[in-house]
Amino acid sequence: MFENLSSRLDRAVKNIKGEGRISEVNVAATIKEIRRALLDADVNFKIAKEVTNEIKEEALGQNVLTAVSPGQMFTKIVSDKLTELMGGEMVPFSPKGSPAVVLIAGLQGSGKTTFTGKLGLRLKKQGQQVLFVACDVYRPAAIDQLETLGEQTGIEVYTERENKNPVEIAQNGIKHAKANGKSIVVVDTAGRLAVDEQMMNEITEIKETIAPSETLFVVDSMTGQDAVNTAKTFNDRLNFDGVVLTKLDGDTRGGAALSIRRVVEKPIKFISTGEKLDNTLDEFFPERMSQRILG
Ligand code: GDP
């Protein structure tokens, strides 16, 4: 991931190196190249423009007659800007309540159920008593998939195969968790292939009824700007707490990771990098990610 962006930015910043001072003239070509690199990484045009303008202003506003070389200073400005773009401070996943309730939302195929399995395993390893609740009333295969994940992770799965009311299933699941000493409930919901009104109404109703401590929106990072737009549509209705970016292992460009935070104004909380359950889920640290980009 970010390979292309990384080498392009590295090259752009090297243009500046060797210059005695940063000036309007020598910064212009570099800024242009950074903007192109961001656009090629599938960052949306408005953001690429804003960010590069901000980098330019900062670079020109700095006093470069210091010990730091212009190249190093410029690298730092770009790196700090990318960190800020991806959210600045890391925002932890910290569900509260007893049991704590976590609601998982997203389109079908985004990696929701896989993420539910990964999150459950992570929480279990932290000593939590986890319960999964299967609320996809449209696709029996989705319930089967969650049950398989339950077997693989040793986590109980609450299902009501005959019940077609996901709100009731979620409520009953939470009751079951309380009665059985579970400390955290992860509610997996139905997704569709595209955003539709019925799905939005359903997930909004589930959220209003069960009042989760954390609502996470799962999205496939490989879909780039579509991921950003879908996240915005969901957030406008659902007001979720954080984003989970999946399939980062297959995302060579990185546009969703770079721009989702600024467009949606919600933090990325987790990144998922593979189909295996173990060791493929990480919390998202904006600074580490920008260091990965700028070396
Ligand atoms: P859901 O419909 O949103 O529940 O999506 P699934 O969890 O069923 O995932 C859809 C497909 O994406 C499955 O084939 C998963 O194995 C795959 N998948 C999920 N997360 C990742 C990931 O982080 N990396 C890769 N490479 N594949 C993933």
Side-chain angles (χ1 to χ4, degrees):
M1 191 195 179
F2 289 132
E3 291 83 4
N4 193 29
L5 178 66
S6 198
S7 59
R8 294 268 300 268
L9 288 185
D10 194 48
R11 237 181 300 142
V13 169
K14 276 198 182 116
N15 277 343
I16 288 283
K17 287 188 182 158
E19 302 277 353
R21 59 190 295 268
I22 289 177
S23 70
E24 188 89 42
V25 178
N26 65 26
V27 117
T30 302
I31 290 294
K32 209 167 163 187
E33 177 50 21
I34 293 174
R35 188 174 299 176
R36 280 207 208 104
L38 289 173
L39 290 173
D40 286 346
D42 200 23
V43 170
N44 106 11
F45 181 77
K46 187 166 161 278
I47 291 178
K49 199 167 163 196
E50 279 172 14
V51 165
T52 43
N53 284 341
E54 288 163 20
I55 293 172
K56 184 173 165 185
E57 268 170 39
E58 254 176 68
L60 293 175
Q62 295 266 351
N63 177 10
V64 292
L65 298 173
T66 59
V68 184
S69 78
Q72 277 171 332
M73 191 195 76
F74 202 81
T75 306
K76 180 157 178 7
I77 292 171
V78 176
S79 172
D80 287 352
K81 190 52 70 183
L82 293 181
T83 304
E84 182 194 313
L85 182 62
M86 289 185 283
E89 290 290 308
M90 176 269 189
V91 183
F93 168 72
S94 56
K96 294 181 179 61
S98 104
V101 177
V102 181
L103 181 64
I104 312 294
L107 293 181
Q108 188 179 317
S110 61
K112 242 178 318 98
T113 306
T114 308
F115 168 70
T116 300
K118 291 183 184 194
L119 180 66
L121 187 59
R122 182 188 179 92
L123 294 167
K124 189 181 166 191
K125 282 184 176 172
Q126 290 168 355
Q128 302 258 23
Q129 302 294 318
V130 187
L131 179 75
F132 290 150
V133 179
C135 279
D136 191 338
V137 295
Y138 310 101
R139 291 191 316 132
I143 304 178
D144 299 343
Q145 190 187 349
L146 194 60
E147 286 195 318
T148 306
L149 289 170
E151 278 163 29
Q152 287 169 358
T153 53
I155 291 171
E156 187 186 348
V157 184
Y158 183 87
T159 64
E160 288 185 29
R161 284 187 187 261
E162 303 312 316
N163 192 346
K164 295 292 169 212
N165 182 337
V167 178
E168 265 178 34
I169 301 172
Q171 285 177 304
N172 292 342
I174 295 166
K175 273 188 212 146
H176 180 87
K178 276 189 186 142
N180 290 277
K182 305 289 182 190
S183 57
I184 189 155
V185 183
V186 185
V187 180
D188 187 20
T189 60
R192 306 282 164 93
L193 290 171
V195 174
D196 75 42
E197 200 49 31
Q198 194 199 346
M199 172 181 64
M200 282 300 181
N201 288 339
E202 181 182 300
I203 185 84
T204 309
E205 199 189 337
I206 296 176
K207 185 179 177 221
E208 281 168 3
T209 311
I210 66 174
S213 163
E214 290 249 3
T215 301
L216 296 178
F217 172 72
V218 178
V219 69
D220 176 348
S221 65
M222 284 162 69
T223 60
Q225 285 313 297
D226 273 353
V228 178
N229 296 334
T230 311
K232 175 130 183 44
T233 309
F234 265 79
N235 190 50
D236 288 347
R237 288 292 295 273
L238 200 58
N239 189 22
F240 53 67
D241 300 295
V243 175
V244 178
L245 280 181
T246 64
K247 311 187 195 180
L248 248 78
D249 49 312
D251 175 24
T252 50
R253 304 212 284 168
L258 284 164
S259 38
I260 212 160
R261 176 64 173 77
R262 193 172 283 201
V263 175
V264 183
E265 296 181 342
K266 289 291 164 69
I268 300 171
K269 293 211 172 180
F270 287 105
I271 47 176
S272 165
T273 50
E275 293 185 276
K276 280 199 293 105
L277 286 181
D278 221 356
N279 296 325
T280 51
L281 185 67
D282 291 294
E283 285 184 289
F284 184 76
F285 290 86
E287 196 176 345
R288 282 187 207 164
M289 197 53 101
S290 77
Q291 278 165 1
R292 224 162 98 178
I293 299 170
L294 268 170

